[in-house]
Amino acid sequence: MTAATHEPGATPPAAPARPLPATPRGRKVRGRQERAPWASVALHCTLILATVIAAFPVVWILFISLGPKNAWQEPGQVLSHLSLHNYSDVLAHSDLAQWFLNTVIVAGGTTALGVFLASTAGYAVSRMKFPGSRQLMWTFLVTQMFPSIVLIVPLYLLMSELHLLDNYLGLILAYATTAVPFCAWMMKGYFDTIPKEIDEAGRVDGLTPIGTFWRLIVPLAKPGLAVTAFYSFLTAWGEVAYATQFMQSDHYTLAVGIRTFAQDQRPDWAWTSATAIIITIPAALVFMLVQRSLVSGLTAGGTKS
């Protein structure tokens, strides 16, 4: 028997190990996922700096709102006069409560309408092949090219003809024109990641297309729906241009009402700062409710188009 042959069932000889690349003595070889110490320090310093830059305006406004009336001129007096007087004052002597209610109605309606239209449109384009489906999605994309200020005049004329000026429904529909196109694209991408076999299983079990969508697809699409709801909510919560042009003083939202504190020759920065903090609280609460779904919803929605 030669060296090249071996008995049946015998383990073949192992291939010679590939020699490791030579490295200088005492130098540690890092893996592909490892980061150099100086790179880690630079990364953390950059993140800390970015966090400080992003948080400083909010912290500063909060700091000023807790001081006296002239705290914006003399910030050194804030620590010795900390109080919630500005908050109680603006709640008692302004229309903040009515503005808050108006904003909740408009933002809630925009969120509900935006999630419904975006999810149904995205699901239809993702699952159903019909004439004009691609043109519909491209139309959604083209509408995002125009700034909102350009759309004010045509929307104003249209809403005037439909008697929707100074009306909650009119403002909700105006905000939907901004929120739905982007959210429909995102939901279409998210539905593409859900296997079509789930729809087929629903049809085998006797579910209608609507039943399949509501009972099987919607529970799987909760991360994407959370992102859609959050984007629609933010679209309406802090918007100024549409609310200023389409609503009168009785129906002002928070973002428009806060501007009334700065219209006089001597603006009330104490009330303005306190109202600004009040406006951020609901947005922060909504973010905390959906933060677990935001990352997965955004990443999954961008895997397919």
Side-chain angles (χ1 to χ4, degrees), residues 45-55:
C45 291
T46 303
L47 293 175
I48 293 173
L49 179 61
T51 302
V52 171
I53 294 175

mmCIF file of all heavy atoms in Angstrom, residues 45-55:
data_model
loop_
_atom_site.group_PDB
_atom_site.id
_atom_site.type_symbol
_atom_site.label_atom_id
_atom_site.label_comp_id
_atom_site.label_asym_id
_atom_site.label_seq_id
_atom_site.Cartn_x
_atom_site.Cartn_y
_atom_site.Cartn_z
ATOM 1 N N CYS A 45 -16.095 60.595 22.736
ATOM 2 C CA CYS A 45 -16.032 62.060 22.852
ATOM 3 C C CYS A 45 -16.968 62.722 21.845
ATOM 4 O O CYS A 45 -17.642 63.715 22.161
ATOM 5 C CB CYS A 45 -14.603 62.545 22.643
ATOM 6 S SG CYS A 45 -13.459 62.098 23.982
ATOM 7 N N THR A 46 -17.017 62.183 20.641
ATOM 8 C CA THR A 46 -17.909 62.736 19.621
ATOM 9 C C THR A 46 -19.369 62.573 20.016
ATOM 10 O O THR A 46 -20.182 63.502 19.861
ATOM 11 C CB THR A 46 -17.652 62.057 18.273
ATOM 12 O OG1 THR A 46 -16.275 62.218 17.908
ATOM 13 C CG2 THR A 46 -18.529 62.649 17.194
ATOM 14 N N LEU A 47 -19.715 61.408 20.548
ATOM 15 C CA LEU A 47 -21.092 61.170 20.971
ATOM 16 C C LEU A 47 -21.475 62.074 22.136
ATOM 17 O O LEU A 47 -22.604 62.603 22.191
ATOM 18 C CB LEU A 47 -21.279 59.701 21.355
ATOM 19 C CG LEU A 47 -21.159 58.684 20.210
ATOM 20 C CD1 LEU A 47 -21.254 57.258 20.752
ATOM 21 C CD2 LEU A 47 -22.240 58.928 19.162
ATOM 22 N N ILE A 48 -20.562 62.249 23.077
ATOM 23 C CA ILE A 48 -20.845 63.133 24.211
ATOM 24 C C ILE A 48 -21.036 64.572 23.740
ATOM 25 O O ILE A 48 -21.964 65.274 24.175
ATOM 26 C CB ILE A 48 -19.712 63.040 25.254
ATOM 27 C CG1 ILE A 48 -19.700 61.658 25.899
ATOM 28 C CG2 ILE A 48 -19.858 64.125 26.313
ATOM 29 C CD1 ILE A 48 -18.518 61.417 26.818
ATOM 30 N N LEU A 49 -20.181 65.021 22.819
ATOM 31 C CA LEU A 49 -20.302 66.379 22.296
ATOM 32 C C LEU A 49 -21.617 66.564 21.546
ATOM 33 O O LEU A 49 -22.304 67.594 21.714
ATOM 34 C CB LEU A 49 -19.121 66.675 21.371
ATOM 35 C CG LEU A 49 -19.109 68.069 20.718
ATOM 36 C CD1 LEU A 49 -19.045 69.149 21.777
ATOM 37 C CD2 LEU A 49 -17.939 68.193 19.745
ATOM 38 N N ALA A 50 -21.987 65.579 20.740
ATOM 39 C CA ALA A 50 -23.257 65.671 20.005
ATOM 40 C C ALA A 50 -24.453 65.695 20.959
ATOM 41 O O ALA A 50 -25.429 66.422 20.731
ATOM 42 C CB ALA A 50 -23.377 64.501 19.028
ATOM 43 N N THR A 51 -24.383 64.909 22.026
ATOM 44 C CA THR A 51 -25.470 64.892 23.008
ATOM 45 C C THR A 51 -25.599 66.233 23.715
ATOM 46 O O THR A 51 -26.714 66.738 23.920
ATOM 47 C CB THR A 51 -25.220 63.778 24.035
ATOM 48 O OG1 THR A 51 -25.110 62.516 23.366
ATOM 49 C CG2 THR A 51 -26.351 63.713 25.043
ATOM 50 N N VAL A 52 -24.467 66.814 24.082
ATOM 51 C CA VAL A 52 -24.495 68.120 24.747
ATOM 52 C C VAL A 52 -25.078 69.188 23.829
ATOM 53 O O VAL A 52 -25.911 70.008 24.239
ATOM 54 C CB VAL A 52 -23.077 68.508 25.204
ATOM 55 C CG1 VAL A 52 -23.048 69.963 25.700
ATOM 56 C CG2 VAL A 52 -22.604 67.575 26.317
ATOM 57 N N ILE A 53 -24.668 69.184 22.560
ATOM 58 C CA ILE A 53 -25.171 70.168 21.605
ATOM 59 C C ILE A 53 -26.679 70.006 21.404
ATOM 60 O O ILE A 53 -27.422 70.998 21.326
ATOM 61 C CB ILE A 53 -24.422 70.041 20.265
ATOM 62 C CG1 ILE A 53 -22.953 70.431 20.459
ATOM 63 C CG2 ILE A 53 -25.069 70.903 19.192
ATOM 64 C CD1 ILE A 53 -22.109 70.215 19.216
ATOM 65 N N ALA A 54 -27.145 68.766 21.335
ATOM 66 C CA ALA A 54 -28.575 68.526 21.113
ATOM 67 C C ALA A 54 -29.414 68.850 22.347
ATOM 68 O O ALA A 54 -30.538 69.359 22.220
ATOM 69 C CB ALA A 54 -28.797 67.074 20.696
ATOM 70 N N ALA A 55 -28.887 68.573 23.535
ATOM 71 C CA ALA A 55 -29.664 68.753 24.754
ATOM 72 C C ALA A 55 -29.580 70.158 25.332
ATOM 73 O O ALA A 55 -30.458 70.558 26.110
ATOM 74 C CB ALA A 55 -29.213 67.742 25.815
#
